[in-house]
Amino acid sequence: MCAVVFWDSKARKRGKDLEEGATGWENFWKITFPMISPLILVNSVYTIIDSFTSADNELMTLIKNTIFSEVKYGFGSAMAWIYFVLIAVIIAVVGGLISRKVFYTD
């Protein structure tokens, strides 16, 4: 819900004087989309983190059960570190791909 509020407020902030003489399609791709592109990057990273660390994730449950129920701290910690590295690599790849198209204002 919070991301939707930020998205809407960012879309409304764009300059109205830049829109004169442009079609709706041009307004979106040349004004609105570049202005909300940093928000798309942040939302993508947060969504990936949220999906991989949610409570109903089977791998997270397995790691938690290995550490706390089976009392295998070393094996559970190794599983958690491997999972962390996997998530970090995925975030780096997605962030690198999306950040190529992000428009930053000065």
Side-chain angles (χ1 to χ4, degrees), residues 5-64:
V5 172
F6 287 138
W7 194 290
D8 186 50
S9 67
K10 190 73 171 179
R12 290 178 191 262
K13 268 187 158 177
R14 58 187 167 75
K16 296 289 182 187
D17 56 333
L18 298 174
E19 297 178 10
E20 294 177 8
T23 65
W25 187 253
E26 290 171 336
N27 282 337
F28 177 75
W29 286 110
K30 297 191 186 234
I31 298 171
T32 304
F33 187 74
M35 296 301 286
I36 62 173
S37 61
L39 191 59
I40 292 171
L41 174 63
V42 170
N43 281 339
S44 300
V45 170
Y46 285 168
T47 301
I48 291 169
I49 292 171
D50 186 48
S51 65
F52 278 106
T53 60
S54 65
D56 58 342
N57 186 342
E58 292 182 22
L59 195 53
M60 288 293 291
T61 305
L62 177 66
I63 292 170
K64 188 170 34 171

Side-chain angles (χ1 to χ4, degrees), residues 80-96:
W81 274 105
I82 292 169
Y83 193 55
F84 168 75
V85 169
L86 174 73
I87 295 170
V89 167
I90 291 172
I91 289 173
V93 168
V94 170

